[in-house]
Each structure stands twice: as structure tokens, then as C-alpha cells.
Amino acid sequence: MSKTRNVIKLALVGNPNAGKSSVFNRLTGLHQKTGNYAGVTVDKKTGIFELTNGQNVELLDLPGTYSIHPTTLDEQIVLQTLTNPDPAARPDAIFYVADATNLERHFLLLSQIIDLDYPIFVGLTMPDLLKEKNMTIDVAAISRLLHTPVALINGRTGDGLDSLKQWLLEKERPNAPAWLDAHVFHRDAIEEAKQIIRNKNPFIALLSLQHATILPWMSPKQRADLQKIATATSFQKLNMQVEETMSRFDKIVPLVQKVENRTNEITQKTDIDRVLTHPFWGLVIFIGLLYGIFQATFVLASYPMDIIESVLGMISTYIGHILPDIWWSKLITEGLLPGLSGILVFIPQIAILFFLISLLEEVGYMARAVFLCDSVMRRFGLSGRSMVSLFSGMACAVPAIMATRTISNWKERLTTILVTPFISCSARIPVYTVLIAFVVPADKKFGIFGAQGLLMLGLYWLGAIMALLAAWVLKKILRTREVSFLTMELPPYKMPHWKNIAITVYDKVKTFVMEAGKIILIISLLLWVLASYGPSQRMEKAESSVRTVHSIQQNPIDSTKLTQDIAAARLENSYMGIMGKTIEPVIKPLGFDWKIGIALIASFAAREVFVGTMATIYSVGESDDNSTLHERLASEINPDTGKPRFTIAVAASLLVFYAFAMQCISTLAIVRRETKTYKWAALQFVVMTAIAYLSSWAVYAWLS
Amino acid sequence: MSAAPSSCKKACELVCGECAIIERLERTLLGLKLLEMGCLPGKDIELMRTAPMGGPLYLKVGAQSLALRPEEAEGIEVRMKIATDK
């Protein structure tokens, strides 16, 4: 058995809420990486840890599932990985994690895994809860009855994990003996299936018959043959699964009765849930929590955001001074650095929001929120679980869309994916901030609330309402025969594992940087090229004419003003300027001119680029100061009317446009990846842009 | 409330705080899912709460808590426990 690689592949398997992620994080720490399973968009989490003899163990965190028979994409992975005959793909051993206080349910999947012929180590989690509930279990007896090593483990402290490591050091790790003989379910069909898949294991043969269509390791010939057998033997898939599950429980229930003692059990108090799931107070608390999180995110994030912006600004200025004045130093200071800044500046908000969301998840509240929202969400064709995604969408749609994978119903998941970008994300805030000032003055108040703050809140509501409305329309259009399940566990409340939260936050930020950041950077560079170059000598001509005007009008020449005017003139004559002018007729009905057109195009990297682009077009210069930009925009005159360009109507129209339009390439890329077709991403882009266009047009027509 | 002749009803017909025993599950994919989540015949089932606006039911099955939509709970047939004075 001398394999060239000196790595033991260990798969972590268990039910949802078994404490799997704590164990995974405890064992591997930050030595984790997230990849993808071939052909599907389920995260493949692996981590490495080392044994005392230097042997490396690769731990694969398989998605949590109640049974080997899958209903969601995530759950399919478990079946696909564990039945795979390819030694390179299948794990060498399994670490099964089960909740010590609920052995009965957690042993169902275990018994199925046992029948797949693996060496298995069983870890029983939540020993502290066991004490709290005043119940006892006989670990030695469990080990004896299952014929596998068993240990109590604590994901929080790491207690008990040494016995796992000890087991991994052993030379021989025998497979656990079969739990039940799968032949009994359909001897003839199983015998034939065994021949086809060339595997002696009857349970794998049974699973192959039941799930041939979703097992990627089969050849098309094998799949077709298995389906023929299934038809010929009138093999009833669902019935068989129920039979199997029942006969497993027939053995599990008496076994568990032998090993656990619940006589002195203290039933957990559900007092908190009396309030938190109350039809009225529960909702009040939920909405209160939403506002609290919302507020906390923006207030807390503003400090690190300011620091990031000023530090990057300083770096940019410094590099600008030391680099020679040629094209590639401009590429760095005007393309690369602003692009980087546009990525980094969102990290605080994303980190804080996901910290709070995963905190709610860790303590067990999120399931209650899903419980409360499910009925409202379903009216709009969404699931209670969509709540989590829509909520995450306030930070960034990219991780939010990736979080939809837990929704088992395809229609509900697709709807969530399609409407999430309507939720106002952090990139819209800078745009809102600049424009709101044109709609309502800063000192205007309604009671104790500032009018600007209320308008900002209103824009968030606008996005949320549009998301629900769009979902409702999709509900009427999309057809599916797939049943929708909620069926969800409400886990007991517990203290959060800070390590789990830290790793989740790290993961989400990494997702944002790697998935969205990559695209933001590429688009920023592309936009820089478009803004810096123009056809033939156009930009140079524009520059020299500005110089001439300045030298005639002013004496001495105001050099700052000159530089700013040159930048504006060059931008006007660049490819980007030409694009802005080309789309002007289209956006004119919305009250926008070509300058705003340029900013709209530039926003495709990330919406907040709007602010920087406007600053350049209106020659405000390098300053990122909003008040300077505001003054400059306020003094801009519309040549057609002779009145200010940024009227309430134009600003409101732009606000609505930014609230609804799909201007984020990163999101489109993720939508394409998650739905596996360009169709939905294209539809999303077209429909959202159309809604934005029509709404802006209506708002402009109404206000002007 | 209609006076049901038998003591059997569906889990979605329980009223808050009512306790029963799971009699059987329907033979559908949903029934299988419920079974896999530990809703075994013979287990105690208690309705703790219902979410607002026809939302899910908060059920206690054995030692664990589950949220099921009303139509999902329809798949669980329950037998009422013989009433005891509290």
C-alpha cells in the first residue's frame, strides 16, 4: 500500500448542526482552502493537519446531510464522493461527527456510511450539552455495538481529537462491518446492478440503482443498463428508500436505548423562543435586529473605510511622485491603485455584516428568522431561507448569491439569485451620498430625523420592495414541478464559537476579493485605457485648445485649474467620452447628459466608481472630498435650459437608476456560474436595466 | 372545532401546546425527509408555535425542534394522547 503521496484523505461527514464545522476549524485552523467540485458549484472545503509522526492528513468537509439519499445539490456531493470507486477521488477513511444528545437521528446516516465499507471513526460532539441536559451515554458500549472507534469530542476545546489522531497513526484501520444486508430490499435487481458497476457491495449497488442519473463516476452505458434493470424489475425508488430508512431505525432505536440514559434528563427551556418566535413580538424583534445590524455595519465600517481610502490616496500620490511621467506609471496611479482601493474599501462593511450574520447563525437565531419570514417570502415565490441571501445582499451580492446554495428548490433559489442585486449593496452608498444632497438639503429635518438619512433609508426600502416585486413576477412566470421544502431543524440556542465566526468572515471576504475583486480590477484597468486614449490626435488637440484658452484668458496662468481643465477635455475626447456622447440620446429622456453617461459606463466596474469619474469629468481634481464635488456639480449649468444641471429631478432620476440598474459585472459573472448558463445573467441584466431606465424616466418626467 | 370521531388527526391540525404521538408518515419524498430527520412513528410531537400569516409550524419531535410548513405537517398522522388533567 505504498502510495506515492504521503497523505491520508479523511472525509468529515455528519448531519447538519452536528458541530462539523467547529471540528473542522479546530483541526485545520487556517490551513483551509475552498475549491469547487468538478462540474458543480458546491464549495469543496479541504484543510490539512499534521499527525505527531509528520504524516499529513487532508480533511475534506463534506456538506451536512441527514441521509445518503440527497435532495439538495450540496447533499448530492456526499453520495457522489462516497460511492466513487476511483481511489484517487474517494477518501481513505471517514470521521463521522454526531450530536451526543441526539444519537438516534445522527446514527441513520452513520449506519448508511458504515454500509459503504469505510474505516470510520465516530466523534460524539456537544459533551457540554450532555452534562447540561443531565443525560449520560456509554461511549464504550457504542464502540462495541458499532464495531468502530468512538470518542467524545469537543469542537470548542479540541478535547478528544487526540484519539482521532491516534487512530490515524495506526497501521491498520479495518472497515466497520456492514450494518444491514442491502440484498433484502431487492435481491435480483441488486445482483444485476453489482455486475454492471463491478462492485460487490450491495448497498452501493442499491444506491446506483436509485441515483444513477446523479452519479458522475458512471459511464453512460452503465447508467442506461441500470435504468433498464430498474424498469424491468419494477424497482420502486422511493418505497425502497422508506423501507431502508425504517429498517435502519429498527436497529438504531434499540441500540441507542441500550447506550443512553435519559431518566434524569432536564428538558431544555424554550422560554427564549416564546418571545423570539412570537407571531408579533418575534417579528418586532427581528425587524429591530435588522435595523441594529444595518446601523452597526455603517457606523462601524466608516472608520476603517476612511483609513483605507486615505492610505491608498497617500500611496498613490507618493508613487506618482517617484515614478517617471510615462504611460505605465499613470496606469498604476490612475488605473490599478483606484481599482484596488475600490476593492479594499468594501472589506470593512462586508466583514462587519458577515460577522453579525454568522453570529446570528452560530447562536441559532437565523433558523428562527427563517421560520418567521417563510410565509411572507413564499407569497413572493421565495423561501424563508432567501432571507439570509437578501440580507447579505446589503453588503455585496456576490457572496449573497453564493449563499443561495442551501435552498433546495431550484425555482426558489433561482428567484433569490435573480432578485438579490436589487438590494442596495455597499457600492451604492457613495453614489447615494453624493446625489442625495441634491434632492434634500442637509439641514432639513422631519421631526428628529434628518431628511437625508430618511431618503437613504427610503432607497434601501425601494430596493427591497423592488426585489420582492420582481420575485412575485418571477413566481408567476417560472414553472416547476419540483416540490418546495422548508422542513428545517430549529437548533438549540448556544454560545457562539468565535473561531467559526472568524473563519466565516475570512471566507466571505476572501470570496469577495477573489471573485468580485478580480473583475473590478480588470474592468478598472480597461476603463482607464478607454478614458486615457482616444482616436488619433483628438485628445492632444483638445488639450492644446484648452491651453490656448487659458493663456488668452488668464495672466498669470492658474496651473491647478489648467491641469483640471486639461483632464476634463482629454476625458471628453477619449474613447470613453465618445461612448458617453454616443449614449447621450438614449439617456437624455432620463435627464442625463454625456458626462453622466461616462459615469454610468464607468460604473460597470463597481458602482462607486461613479463618484471618482464625476470628479474627473467636472475637473474637481484628485480630491475625494464630496463637498468639493457637490459644489462643482451644483454650479454646473445645463446649456439647454440655462439652469443648474443637477436639479432635484435629475438627481432623483439618477438615484433611482442606481438603485435598480444591474451595473456590476462581478455579480453577472457569479450569476452565470451559479445558474450554469448565460441566459439568466443576460436576462437579469436586460430586465434590471429596463426597470431602471423606465423608473428613472418616470421619476424625471414627474419631477421636472 | 369539529368533533373528530377518532383520536387521529394530522400534525397540522394540532393546536398550540397540544401533545400527540406520531402514528405514521405519508409515503412521499417529504415523508422520507421527515423520517430521516427523526420523525419516527411512536415519537412524541408537540406544537409549540405557529408563525404569523399561515407560516410554518414550530414542532417539538422527541428532543428536537423542527419548523415545518403547514402542508408539510399534513404528511404526519398523529394520535392524541389520552387527556390527562393538568
Side-chain angles (χ1 to χ4, degrees), chain A residues 428 431 599-600 603 607 610 654-661 663:
Chain A
R428 286 170 170 111
V431 183
L600 289 184
S603 293
R607 294 173 175 93
F610 174 84
L654 251 182
L655 278 175
V656 171
F657 192 87
Y658 270 86
F660 294 156
Q663 291 164 296

Side-chain angles (χ1 to χ4, degrees), chain A residues 308 312 339-351 354 395-400 402 426 504-524 605-606 666-667 669-670 673:
Chain A
I308 291 173
L312 273 157
L340 271 181
S341 157
I343 301 162
L344 295 178
V345 83
F346 293 125
I347 291 178
Q349 275 187 0
I350 291 173
F354 278 110
C396 174
V398 172
M402 290 169 74
S426 34
T504 312
V505 170
Y506 172 79
D507 252 14
K508 298 286 180 184
V509 169
K510 210 171 107 183
T511 306
F512 167 74
V513 173
M514 304 310 278
E515 302 287 341
K518 191 173 63 187
I519 294 171
I520 293 177
L521 202 60
I522 294 170
I523 304 279
S524 309
S666 320
T667 306
I670 288 293
R673 210 184 71 190

Side-chain angles (χ1 to χ4, degrees), chain A residues 414-551:
Chain A
L414 180 64
T415 309
T416 313
I417 290 174
L418 292 178
V419 306
T420 296
F422 276 122
I423 301 292
S424 283
C425 64
S426 34
R428 286 170 170 111
I429 299 168
V431 183
Y432 289 172
T433 315
V434 168
L435 292 172
I436 276 177
F438 288 97
V439 181
V440 282
D443 48 6
K444 190 160 180 168
K445 281 190 187 293
F446 285 106
I448 52 161
F449 301 106
Q452 292 195 343
L454 284 178
L455 184 57
M456 181 73 117
L457 204 61
L459 286 164
Y460 272 86
W461 274 110
L462 192 67
I465 291 167
M466 189 47 93
L468 290 181
L469 213 63
W472 182 79
V473 173
L474 285 168
K475 181 187 170 190
K476 301 281 168 200
I477 298 168
L478 294 174
R479 289 271 162 248
T480 177
R481 278 178 293 123
E482 201 186 352
V483 253
S484 143
F485 293 124
L486 177 69
T487 315
M488 173 187 69
E489 207 182 331
L490 294 166
Y493 292 104
K494 60 178 171 62
M495 285 301 290
H497 279 206
W498 298 107
K499 193 166 184 175
N500 288 356
I501 295 180
I503 288 176
T504 312
V505 170
Y506 172 79
D507 252 14
K508 298 286 180 184
V509 169
K510 210 171 107 183
T511 306
F512 167 74
V513 173
M514 304 310 278
E515 302 287 341
K518 191 173 63 187
I519 294 171
I520 293 177
L521 202 60
I522 294 170
I523 304 279
S524 309
L525 293 177
L526 186 73
L527 290 173
W528 176 81
V529 172
L530 288 176
S532 314
Y533 295 93
S536 58
Q537 296 297 307
R538 253 181 100 153
M539 292 172 78
E540 284 69 24
K541 276 186 201 144
E543 183 177 336
S544 61
S545 77
V546 171
R547 282 185 195 280
T548 323
V549 170
H550 268 263
S551 57

Side-chain angles (χ1 to χ4, degrees), chain A residues 66-67 69 71 102 104-105 108 238-239 241 243 245-246 249 270 273-274 277-279 283 371 374-376 378-379 484-490, chain B residues 27-30 32-38 40-41 43 48-58 60 63-69 71-72:
Chain A
Y66 294 107
S67 145
H69 303 292
T71 34
N102 195 355
E104 202 172 272
R105 197 198 71 203
L108 171 68
L238 183 70
N239 245 336
Q241 288 177 20
E243 292 289 325
T245 309
M246 290 301 275
F249 275 124
T270 47
D273 263 348
R274 280 192 196 288
T277 63
H278 188 277
L283 278 178
F371 167 81
D374 188 63
S375 123
V376 176
R378 281 188 77 200
R379 275 156 219 240
S484 143
F485 293 124
L486 177 69
T487 315
M488 173 187 69
E489 207 182 331
L490 294 166
Chain B
R27 284 229 164 188
T28 56
L29 187 57
L30 178 74
L32 175 66
K33 282 288 125 196
L34 291 171
L35 194 62
E36 289 170 351
M37 290 179 82
L40 301 181
K43 285 238 166 199
M48 309 293 289
R49 262 245 192 273
T50 50
M53 293 167 284
L57 311 179
Y58 178 163
K60 197 149 212 159
Q64 61 182 340
S65 305
L66 299 177
L68 301 183
R69 288 175 177 162
E71 70 270 24
E72 293 169 355

Side-chain angles (χ1 to χ4, degrees), chain A residues 185 206 210 235-244:
Chain A
F185 298 113
L206 179 71
Q210 288 165 331
F235 182 88
Q236 285 174 312
K237 181 178 154 184
L238 183 70
N239 245 336
M240 205 73 70
Q241 288 177 20
V242 176
E243 292 289 325
E244 179 209 319

Side-chain angles (χ1 to χ4, degrees), chain A residues 18 23 95-100 120-125 149-153 164:
Chain A
V23 170
F95 179 21
Y96 189 87
V97 175
D99 178 351
I120 299 174
F121 186 94
V122 180
L124 303 175
T125 55
V150 180
L152 271 179
I153 53 169
L164 167 78

